[in-house]
Structures are given as structure tokens and as C-alpha cells.
Amino acid sequence: MNVLNWEIEQLLRNENADFVHFVDISMLNVRQNRGLPYAILVGLVINPQFIKTVHGDPNYVHTINDEYAQTEQRVGLISDKLASWLIRKGYIALSQSDNALLVENTFDFTTKTSVLPHKTIAVLSGIGYIGKNNLFITTEYGAAQCLGTVLTNAPLSIVKRHIKSPQCGKCNICKDVCPQRVLNGVCWDINVSRDDIVNVYDCVTCLKCLVYCHKTQAYLKRAIKQD
């Protein structure tokens, strides 16, 4: 790891980021990567007590002020801070926080898509995969993380990793618990589109597909034991 990578990791750890990965995005088209070769992936893990609360309340309603929303907002602010830090060092850096995407006009409200989703970068990092719930899933945290990304031309040290295949198998718990029936039970691969997996237009973000995921539940059990 070079000095710049180390400095970035220290900055992000001081912001309480739970994981940081440096990703090669040079193979993507210019519209997606904006002509920048690298991305920095930042992850904040969702509090296991919040997962337990949502799982135990069949009538839970996600709001813009709950812990999940606050975690999403916080990782966006961290991404903005990192991008500003890189720019001050003389590099090009683009935060992909919600606010930054609005300013850059790279989010399409009609189709609910961004030019380069965090999940695409996360998959390229090799640390997880997109599940049948259309969420990014890692072995350590299941679907219980919020992601942020910064694109840059900073000379980062990159370790290339293989893209992981989905490990959902025959499990359809996310599809079965979805009250809106928006999930199709389809596994992601390079030829599968988002719309094949989920009907985002009818999704109400109830978070059931996140908390009921077996990988998320495994993370919850480990966290409870550690407490």
C-alpha cells in the first residue's frame, strides 16, 4: 500500500468508516467513470440493534430520520469530505453522494438510476455480490451496510480481485417477506439488469429484504454474541 492509500484509510477510519477499498474502474465506459481510473469504496455498517428492531416489528415503517437513512446520509457526507481532501491535494475527485449526483446531474429520477451505482463499484472490489434483494451483500455484514464512493485520478495502489458470484442459491427469503412483491427471485450476473431483479417503482423501502437476509441475520447473531 502506498502512502496516499494509507492517508486515505486513516482519514476514513477517523470518520468511523467500517471498511475502505480501492477499486480499478478504468474498464468502464467514460460516461460511467467520467474518465477517472479509480474509485474509493467506503462502507458504514448498520447498527445490529436497529436490524433487530426492524426484524422484530412486522409493522416497521422506514422514515427519512431512522438509523438506516441517517447512515446513508453520513456515508454521503464522508464521501464529500474525502473528495474535497483529494482536490486540495491537487487531484480530480468526484463524490457520488446524493447531493453531489444532483449537482452533477448524473441521477435519473424517472428510472431511479445513477450513471455509476455504488453497487457496481462494490462488485468490482470483489468483497461481495448483489443478492436477490438487489442489495450488496458481504460475508461479514450481509446486506447491513451503506456504501459511498469517490472517483479519482489520484495514483492509488490497487489490488485487483475476482468478481464474486451471488451466493443466494435457492434462498428466496427476501422475495417471500416483501409485502409489495417487488422481488422476482432472480440472481444477478453481468447479463441481468436491475429491472430483472426488482420492480423499484413499487418498492416502499420497508427494509425487510435487508434484515431478513440470512447473511444479515448471521452478522446480527455474531454481533450479539460479541456484546
Side-chain angles (χ1 to χ4, degrees):
M1 179 183 295
N2 66 29
V3 173
L4 183 58
N5 285 58
W6 183 85
E7 289 178 337
I8 291 169
E9 282 208 352
Q10 292 307 303
L11 185 153
L12 294 173
R13 296 298 183 189
N14 289 338
E15 295 291 332
N16 296 314
D18 292 294
F19 58 83
V20 181
H21 290 273
F22 304 97
V23 185
D24 181 3
I25 57 170
S26 61
M27 79 295 294
L28 301 176
N29 65 53
V30 173
R31 182 171 178 269
Q32 289 179 299
N33 65 23
R34 277 71 123 214
L36 300 171
Y38 305 125
I40 302 161
L41 175 70
V42 185
L44 294 183
V45 176
I46 299 166
N47 188 321
Q49 291 304 318
F50 175 73
I51 296 169
K52 187 176 179 180
T53 297
V54 177
H55 186 273
D57 183 358
N59 299 314
Y60 183 83
V61 177
H62 166 61
T63 71
I64 59 172
N65 296 314
D66 70 10
E67 188 158 344
Y68 181 79
Q70 289 176 8
T71 304
E72 280 197 317
Q73 183 180 34
R74 188 156 58 91
V75 77
L77 292 173
I78 292 171
S79 299
D80 290 343
K81 186 172 183 176
L82 173 59
S84 296
W85 183 85
L86 286 165
I87 290 168
R88 289 197 300 273
K89 281 190 165 288
Y91 305 114
I92 298 172
L94 296 175
S95 169
Q96 291 210 123
S97 67
D98 289 348
N99 288 337
L101 290 177
L102 291 176
V103 171
E104 197 186 354
N105 194 29
T106 49
F107 185 85
D108 188 327
F109 284 94
T110 303
T111 60
K112 297 188 177 184
T113 55
S114 63
V115 171
L116 179 56
H118 301 310
K119 284 181 290 189
T120 299
I121 295 171
V123 166
L124 291 174
S125 77
I127 65 168
Y129 57 92
I130 298 173
K132 291 181 181 179
N133 52 11
N134 198 46
L135 299 175
F136 187 67
I137 296 174
T138 62
T139 300
E140 190 168 2
Y141 305 114
Q145 61 255 311
C146 292
L147 304 174
T149 50
V150 173
L151 315 186
T152 185
N153 69 342
L156 301 172
S157 176
I158 303 292
V159 177
K160 292 190 177 182
R161 304 180 188 276
H162 295 295
I163 291 176
K164 287 189 176 182
S165 298
Q167 298 173 16
C168 300
K170 295 181 179 179
C171 178
N172 282 300
I173 185 67
C174 56
K175 176 184 177 183
D176 295 340
V177 299
C178 177
Q180 298 296 108
R181 297 291 183 257
V182 301
L183 295 169
N184 299 320
V186 173
C187 276
W188 174 89
D189 68 33
I190 197 69
N191 298 310
V192 172
S193 73
R194 179 203 66 184
D195 293 339
D196 292 329
I197 299 172
V198 59
N199 171 10
V200 296
Y201 307 103
D202 290 337
C203 175
V204 295
T205 319
C206 68
L207 304 181
K208 285 183 172 58
C209 65
L210 187 158
V211 302
Y212 277 84
C213 172
H214 290 319
K215 297 290 187 181
T216 303
Q217 284 297 301
Y219 154 62
L220 177 60
K221 289 174 183 177
R222 288 193 300 271
I224 290 173
K225 284 183 179 179
Q226 290 173 1
D227 289 343

